[in-house]
Amino acid sequence: MNFELIKSVVELVQQFMEQNEGKALYSNDLHGFTEWINAAHQQDLGNPDWIGKESGRSSDSIINTLLIRMNRYAKSYSRSAVGSSVFSSQDDFIYLISLKNMGAMSKMELIKHNVHEKSSGMLIINRLLHNGWIEQAVSPKDKRIKNIQITEKGLAILDEHMEEIRRASRAVVGNLTHAEQMLLIAVLSKLDEFHDSFYRMNLETRDLLNTVYKKLN
């Protein structure tokens, strides 16, 4: 039994009771204690520093830069994971995971789900079809539409390399605590929902930025 951990938790509970006494900012139960912990954590993250902040670099700029850097780190881990595998790129197993988790869908639904352009997405789908990892089947809802679904061979190849894929995902998360992971999921999900609404409009490239910018003002 980890007595040091228990001692730390007891000390936190004592701090919570002392700070909440007479103020009743939080309910005196587990829910209130959790809210207090989260609020304290938010304060720790509330005013971060970044390169160029003092000279006027905006939070917009640094967020954009950090997201680009994270994308490149994630790709490098994925390349390492698939380097000695049968996959041509990380997109192969990402598409297979999408079909495994979400079931059969049309080609365009799969492409849009993974935020790809049609030409890039079709190359990936054709490669998966050629390898026998996915197959086409007539949609039960509309006989004119062919859905694609993962095959037993695709499930087997995915299962064979899943441990390495999980390691790549774990590497991306890095040293974030569980609470930080949950906060990041919430923030990124909100941001993804915002951008996805514009992506699904199929706007012309020349109109995209102006349309989004008008929404923000």
Side-chain angles (χ1 to χ4, degrees), residues 88-204:
S88 298
S89 73
Q90 64 177 352
D91 293 317
D92 287 4
F93 65 75
I94 288 174
Y95 272 50
L96 290 177
I97 290 173
S98 297
L99 289 171
K100 178 183 178 181
N101 292 336
M102 300 179 67
M105 64 183 82
S106 70
K107 292 179 180 179
M108 284 311 301
E109 285 174 336
L110 180 59
I111 291 170
K112 285 184 175 295
H113 175 72
N114 288 288
V115 197
H116 266 133
E117 293 183 355
K118 182 179 179 180
S119 56
S120 301
M122 288 304 298
L123 285 174
I124 299 165
I125 289 172
N126 289 336
R127 184 163 63 241
L128 298 179
L129 284 168
H130 176 75
N131 288 328
W133 298 337
I134 63 174
E135 62 185 3
Q136 300 186 77
V138 176
S139 170
K141 297 180 180 179
D142 188 339
K143 302 299 182 182
R144 297 168 299 177
I145 298 176
K146 286 187 176 181
N147 284 338
I148 52 175
Q149 59 191 24
I150 191 168
T151 62
E152 290 298 324
K153 184 178 179 181
L155 287 170
I157 203 69
L158 194 58
D159 184 64
E160 182 181 338
H161 296 281
M162 188 53 71
E163 182 58 34
E164 200 68 13
I165 294 169
R166 290 195 182 100
R167 289 181 63 201
S169 297
R170 181 66 188 85
V172 173
V173 172
N175 59 352
L176 294 183
T177 65
H178 177 74
E180 288 168 337
Q181 290 179 40
M182 296 304 102
L183 176 61
L184 185 59
I185 289 172
V187 172
L188 290 179
S189 294
K190 179 179 180 180
L191 196 57
D192 178 71
E193 183 178 343
F194 174 82
H195 292 297
D196 186 63
S197 65
F198 294 99
Y199 171 73
R200 293 186 178 277
M201 290 180 184
N202 294 317
L203 298 168
E204 294 289 339

